[in-house]
Each structure stands twice: as C-alpha cells, then as structure tokens.
Amino acid sequence: MNDPDKLVHAGEALVSGYDIDHHNKVLRLEVSDGDKGVTVGELIPQLLILDMDAMMYQIKVDVNAQYSDIDVAGFGKNDEEQRFVLFIKI
C-alpha cells in the first residue's frame, strides 16, 4: 500500500560532517556513502559550547546536490548498534 503519510525505510548513511550556520540559524548535517562518520562524541562538545539561542537552531540534512536542506522528520535511537537515527522525508 502506498500511503504518503507513512515513512518507508529506503536506506541509511552516516553523517560525515556538519556546519553551524549562525546567520540562518541552522545546524546542517552532511551525509556521505563512506564508512567514516562523525561520532556523537565529536559533535556534542562542539554543540555544548554554543549559547542558548544556538541550541534552538533548525536541523537540516544535506544528502546530495539534489536533496539538500532536507528537514528532519524524526529522531530515534538504535540500542543494538548504539547509534542515534535521524528520519528524513525525501
């Protein structure tokens, strides 16, 4: 059944980089096909030093040139693989 309101798992990729855009108030996460991703341990210290206003920035995901500036539809945690998961809708 093709229900446009339901999310369908179409693949996954690691977050390979990030950029904090203070002018547009956005935390932009970049995705790649590689095996090396940014760890939570690398990202969190950079976020914790920001002021309180920056903690309210939007989170956007750049998948590729065609799918950039994608909103995050949800957030989860995979206990088995010890990963956090961001759900996006393309």
Side-chain angles (χ1 to χ4, degrees):
M1 176 158 49
N2 279 340
D3 185 348
D5 293 331
K6 293 192 176 185
L7 295 178
V8 175
H9 183 272
E12 55 187 72
L14 297 174
V15 172
S16 60
Y18 65 93
D19 178 53
I20 301 170
D21 181 349
H22 294 287
H23 179 73
N24 293 310
K25 299 184 177 183
V26 173
L27 167 62
R28 191 171 317 286
L29 303 174
E30 300 158 6
V31 174
S32 75
D33 294 338
D35 294 342
K36 180 72 175 127
V38 174
T39 67
V40 173
E42 293 168 336
L43 180 58
I44 294 299
Q46 300 302 312
L47 299 178
L48 289 176
I49 62 173
L50 297 174
D51 61 30
M52 195 53 88
D53 289 339
M55 294 296 180
M56 301 307 292
Y57 285 3
Q58 286 183 298
I59 300 174
K60 300 281 188 167
V61 180
D62 287 343
V63 178
N64 56 33
Q66 181 181 1
Y67 298 108
S68 63
D69 213 32
I70 303 293
D71 288 318
V72 174
F75 178 83
K77 181 179 168 187
N78 182 327
D79 287 326
E80 269 183 28
E81 296 182 20
Q82 297 183 342
R83 291 186 190 180
F84 291 102
V85 180
L86 296 174
F87 299 97
I88 60 173
K89 185 174 181 181
I90 294 180

